[in-house]
């Protein structure tokens, strides 16, 4: 039961140790300015990330395996159960199209490529781990 967790208090999960979002006197504005002005290094792979699309429907569900689907997304089969972790099937990892484009070769899968699931795991609520359109598309697949 979630309420029995030592990290659960007052209707929500809480860190047991203080973890401030802003440190050393930083503000949201100062962080954005610093990020804008800092010299940019290579932020994207210089070459295509090698990726090969797997037919997930053709896999024996009794085989234990893990398949990286791109970005934060993983498909797992363990103990006869099918699981999906942090699915992102859009071409952008941000709510504004064209803002954070997926690396080439990392957006091969869509909801149509996913078999019926026993478990959907969302690790946290950052946009790139909780892609709204993806969640709506796979909702009917999750038992």
């Amino acid at each position: 039961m979630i309420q029995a967790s030592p990290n659960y208090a007052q209707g929500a999960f809480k860190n047991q140790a203080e973890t401030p979002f802003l440190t050393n006197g930083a503000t949201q504005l100062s962080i954005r300015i610093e990020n804008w002005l800092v010299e940019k290094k290579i932020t994207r792979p210089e070459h295509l990330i090698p990726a090969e699309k797997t037919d997930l429907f053709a896999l024996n569900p009794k085989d234990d395996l893990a398949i990286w689907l791109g970005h934060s997304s993983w498909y797992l089969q363990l103990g006869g159960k099918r699981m999906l972790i942090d699915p992102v099937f859009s071409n952008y990892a941000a709510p504004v199209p064209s803002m954070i484009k997926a690396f080439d070769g990392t957006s091969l899968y869509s909801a149509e490529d996913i078999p019926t699931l026993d478990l959907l795991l969302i690790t946290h609520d950052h946009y790139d781990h909780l892609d709204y359109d993806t969640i709506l598309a796979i909702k009917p697949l999750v038992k």
Side-chain angles (χ1 to χ4, degrees), residues 107-121:
S107 53
L108 302 176
Y109 292 88
S110 69
E112 292 79 28
D113 298 314
I114 306 299
T116 302
L117 299 165
D118 296 290
L119 176 73
L120 170 64
L121 176 63

Side-chain angles (χ1 to χ4, degrees), residues 59-65 77-82:
L59 299 172
N60 182 341
K62 294 180 182 179
D63 290 343
D64 290 346
L65 53 84
Q77 291 184 176
L78 297 171
K81 301 289 185 189
R82 291 177 166 159

Side-chain angles (χ1 to χ4, degrees), residues 7 12 16 22 37 48 62 67 87 93-94 107 118 125 134 139 142:
N7 290 50
Q16 292 180 344
L22 299 173
L37 296 177
L48 183 69
K62 294 180 182 179
I67 298 174
S107 53
D118 296 290
D125 66 353
T134 296
K139 183 179 178 182
V142 183

Side-chain angles (χ1 to χ4, degrees), residues 54-75:
T54 300
D55 180 357
L56 304 177
F57 291 97
L59 299 172
N60 182 341
K62 294 180 182 179
D63 290 343
D64 290 346
L65 53 84
I67 298 174
W68 178 62
L69 304 179
H71 192 66
S72 63
S73 308
W74 286 88
Y75 173 82

Side-chain angles (χ1 to χ4, degrees), residues 3-67:
Q3 290 81 2
S5 169
N7 290 50
Y8 190 83
Q10 301 170 338
F13 279 97
K14 309 285 184 193
N15 289 332
Q16 292 180 344
E18 182 64 28
T19 54
F21 178 70
L22 299 173
T23 58
N24 301 328
T27 65
Q28 285 282 349
L29 180 59
S30 70
I31 291 170
R32 291 180 192 277
I33 290 171
E34 182 180 339
N35 286 340
W36 184 262
L37 296 177
V38 70
E39 181 183 342
K40 305 294 188 272
K41 306 224 185 281
I42 298 172
T43 58
R44 300 185 70 77
E46 293 181 4
H47 306 287
L48 183 69
I49 295 173
E52 182 177 321
K53 189 172 181 178
T54 300
D55 180 357
L56 304 177
F57 291 97
L59 299 172
N60 182 341
K62 294 180 182 179
D63 290 343
D64 290 346
L65 53 84
I67 298 174

